[in-house]
Amino acid sequence: MLKKVPHTYVIVFFLILLSAVATWFVPGGVYMTPEGGDGMPVFQQVDNQPQTWEVFAALFMGFERQAGIIIFILMIGGAFWIMNDSKAIDVGIRSFLQFTRRLDKYAIMRRIGTGNLVIVLIMLMFSVFGAVFGMSEETIAFIIIIVPLAISMGYDSITGVSMVFVAAGLGFAGAVLNPFTIGIAQGLAGLPLFSGFEYRLFSWVVINLVGISYILWYANRIKRKPDLSPVHEEDNYWREHLHVNEVEDEPITYKAAWITYFATLSALIGFSIAYPQTTLVMGGGSGVTSWFIPILTASFALTGWLALRKSAPVFVLNLLAYTIVFLIVGVMGYQWYIMEIAALFFAMGILAGAAMDKSPDSITKLFLAGSADIMSAALIVGLAGGIIVILEEGQIIHTILHAMAGGMSDMGDMASVGIMYVIQTVINVVIPSGSAKAALTMPIMAPFSDLIGLSRQATVMAFQFGDGFTNLITPTSGVLIGVLGVAKIPYAKWAKWIAPLIITMILLGFLLLIPTVTMDLNGF
């Protein structure tokens, strides 16, 4: 008899209670910056704040802390429900599968495996996004697209999540130009921005080589024996909502679709006039300035017209493609975050419904149905935020950091960088935000590395690896919990599945740290 897996809500609430218990036994402490702001922060003991009834207040504060991601998930769910009703994604997946079958007639593609090529290309794309501009929350929006694609290709939802979320996590860990982790950490450590680029790029290649190989091995194993998937039953949800094998409907283009096309084109022309030039910044460089929005507007005018000549669902698919492109331009050119991205997808959902000749009432009902379907994912994100609230209110986070940092001064460079790596890895389980953890740990670690004769660049690398890998498993990560909720994957099953990969990556991270203290590397 199979052992019943605890519900994700149960696991998260247990962790909240465990955190509250810790506040009764772990002494309180804070790091204080010396007057004038110079020098290493000094640890001072303070009275801890044992948490009791605050556990229930933490639930509310967790929702308050994670409100942005919660609203983001609800809006994404509602928007894609409208789009799914149009059958546009089914049309896209059907066309893609037909294309891949045509590729199979070539001997070289049969040898490589079309599915393998698709997985590698998608993972590399999202890994680059993670390494260059720290893609994280944005992956939630792509789960609803890639998971159905993965299942249609004979894989499972874990493979689909890996193609997006794990890939972005690999890029995040092997960050090359990520301004939210490397940029902040190096700035706090007093290092030239994005220095040590060459070795970081090498590390990114190695991390992706190992990570993608693991996903390919798993994906092909599941394709051969689908029953081996730990989420085979959960994936019935996606199979029931997929219609790629159904007979295609007669192509139809509604008059409303043409009205939607011209209204959207008019808005884009207005944006082109308001923002004729855009500078896309990758990392901390000067960026590339060009007429990106006018070019995209002209491109939409052509592709939208051609799509409408085929059918309204194809036009909706075209809207989805341009939504993704404008997301990238917005993030890299205008520093968009979840509020702007949520608004972008919300607009996409309304336009998709209008193009399919839906009434305002019908669009509203579809949006509410989608939000309701994804509500559990949004709620669990708020619950996970309560863990961090309890630890902060109990004033024990700095104590944990101080305890782990003690004793490093008597060790050699290799052991010291290893301990720093362990500290950053453990802290990341509690504080999954890379920028927040950099602000907390780097002012302490960077001066400390000078005292023990360790390169500050090596210290930043220890932070980078420690910040990245455990993002894929820590239940305090609102992004991870949101991704799993959208994909309908129980946290317990995900944790059990990804644990071997996490262990492998943590060991790989330590091996990649060795050259930072044994070799003369540029920027180190």
Side-chain angles (χ1 to χ4, degrees):
M1 182 176 178
L2 292 176
K3 189 176 180 180
K4 187 176 180 180
V5 177
H7 195 284
T8 304
Y9 283 89
V10 175
I11 295 173
V12 173
F13 191 71
F14 172 77
L15 292 173
I16 292 175
L17 294 177
L18 187 63
S19 301
V21 171
T23 63
W24 282 79
F25 299 100
V26 178
V30 295
Y31 275 104
M32 305 293 292
T33 304
E35 292 185 11
D38 296 326
M40 185 187 302
V42 178
F43 179 78
Q44 293 183 357
Q45 285 191 338
V46 298
D47 292 336
N48 60 348
Q49 303 293 325
Q51 305 289 291
T52 53
W53 62 268
E54 291 89 351
V55 167
F56 301 100
L59 299 179
F60 168 77
M61 295 174 68
F63 281 95
E64 187 177 40
R65 176 187 290 263
Q66 303 281 25
I69 296 180
I70 291 171
I71 295 172
F72 177 72
I73 290 174
L74 293 175
M75 294 186 72
I76 291 293
F80 271 95
W81 198 269
I82 299 171
M83 175 159 286
N84 286 338
D85 185 74
S86 73
K87 301 295 188 293
I89 293 179
D90 297 331
V91 170
I93 292 176
R94 186 188 297 122
S95 299
F96 181 80
L97 293 178
Q98 290 172 351
F99 172 73
T100 58
R101 292 189 190 105
R102 288 197 296 270
L103 290 177
D104 283 338
K105 67 181 181 181
Y106 300 105
I108 188 171
M109 288 305 302
R110 289 196 298 271
R111 183 169 299 179
I112 296 174
T114 306
N116 292 334
L117 182 62
V118 170
I119 291 174
V120 170
L121 291 178
I122 292 178
M123 289 194 70
L124 284 177
M125 178 180 70
F126 281 100
S127 181
V128 169
F129 291 162
V132 171
F133 58 84
M135 173 176 275
S136 181
E137 288 86 351
E138 298 89 344
T139 57
I140 297 174
F142 291 93
I143 294 299
I144 304 179
I145 304 172
I146 302 299
V147 167
L149 173 63
I151 291 176
S152 299
M153 295 175 67
Y155 304 116
D156 64 354
S157 56
I158 286 180
T159 305
V161 169
S162 298
M163 291 163 69
V164 181
F165 178 69
V166 172
L170 296 176
F172 206 89
V176 180
L177 297 172
N178 185 351
F180 304 109
T181 54
I182 300 304
I184 293 175
Q186 289 186 326
L188 292 171
L191 295 169
L193 201 62
F194 304 114
S195 53
F197 172 85
E198 298 88 347
Y199 188 68
R200 294 183 199 286
L201 182 61
F202 169 78
S203 298
W204 178 83
V205 171
V206 173
I207 288 170
N208 277 276
L209 183 63
V210 174
I212 294 176
S213 297
Y214 183 88
I215 302 304
L216 286 174
W217 167 80
Y218 171 78
N220 282 283
R221 183 167 171 260
I222 295 303
K223 194 166 187 175
R224 288 193 300 270
K225 297 181 179 180
D227 291 343
L228 293 177
S229 170
V231 291
H232 186 69
E233 292 184 6
E234 285 80 2
D235 285 350
N236 286 332
Y237 170 88
W238 296 103
R239 297 186 191 99
E240 291 170 1
H241 286 76
L242 282 173
H243 308 283
V244 295
N245 294 321
E246 294 182 0
V247 178
E248 294 188 48
D249 296 329
E250 192 70 25
I252 183 171
T253 300
Y254 304 100
K255 181 180 179 181
W258 286 101
I259 295 174
T260 303
Y261 164 72
F262 285 113
T264 306
L265 183 58
S266 298
L268 291 178
I269 291 172
F271 282 122
S272 299
I273 295 172
Y275 304 98
Q277 288 192 316
T278 302
T279 301
L280 300 187
V281 179
M282 299 178 65
S286 58
V288 178
T289 302
S290 187
W291 303 77
F292 289 109
I293 294 181
I295 291 172
L296 287 174
T297 299
S299 176
F300 176 81
L302 176 61
T303 58
W305 182 276
L306 295 175
L308 284 169
R309 291 173 64 92
K310 292 186 176 181
S311 69
V314 174
F315 173 70
V316 171
L317 199 62
N318 189 65
L319 282 174
L320 172 61
Y322 277 90
T323 298
I324 294 172
V325 173
F326 274 102
L327 182 152
I328 296 170
V329 172
V331 169
M332 298 179 64
Y334 299 97
Q335 292 73 54
W336 282 5
Y337 194 47
I338 53 177
M339 180 181 72
E340 294 86 356
I341 297 171
L344 178 68
F345 278 97
F346 181 60
M348 177 202 72
I350 293 176
L351 292 173
M356 294 304 295
D357 201 24
K358 299 291 183 182
S359 68
D361 278 359
S362 296
I363 294 174
T364 301
K365 289 177 181 178
L366 287 169
F367 181 85
L368 292 176
S371 298
D373 183 71
I374 211 167
M375 178 65 75
S376 61
L379 291 178
I380 200 67
V381 169
L383 285 176
I387 301 172
I388 302 173
V389 170
I390 287 291
L391 295 173
E392 288 181 348
E393 293 296 314
Q395 300 209 70
I396 65 173
I397 285 183
H398 288 206
T399 303
I400 295 171
L401 173 61
H402 179 71
M404 289 189 292
M408 275 195 297
S409 57
D410 298 328
M411 301 181 179
D413 289 352
M414 190 71 68
S416 295
V417 76
I419 291 176
M420 284 186 178
Y421 178 39
V422 171
I423 290 172
Q424 296 288 2
T425 300
V426 173
I427 290 292
N428 195 58
V429 175
V430 180
I431 308 174
S433 169
S435 54
K437 188 153 64 6
L440 172 65
T441 62
M442 291 313 299
I444 302 166
M445 295 297 186
F448 187 78
S449 64
D450 294 338
L451 295 177
I452 61 177
L454 188 67
S455 164
R456 288 194 174 197
Q457 199 73 263
T459 303
V460 173
M461 288 289 286
F463 156 78
Q464 173 182 337
F465 293 151
D467 173 63
F469 300 130
T470 47
N471 282 333
L472 303 176
I473 196 171
T474 174
T476 59
S477 170
V479 179
L480 168 63
I481 298 301
V483 163
L484 297 182
V486 172
K488 314 295 181 184
I489 299 175
Y491 173 79
K493 289 189 175 183
W494 172 263
K496 182 178 180 180
W497 174 82
I498 204 169
L501 178 60
I502 296 296
I503 294 171
T504 301
M505 286 298 166
I506 289 175
L507 294 175
L508 177 62
F510 178 74
L511 294 176
L512 289 171
L513 284 174
I514 293 176
T516 67
V517 296
T518 60
M519 299 175 64
D520 185 17
L521 302 172
N522 187 35
F524 286 76

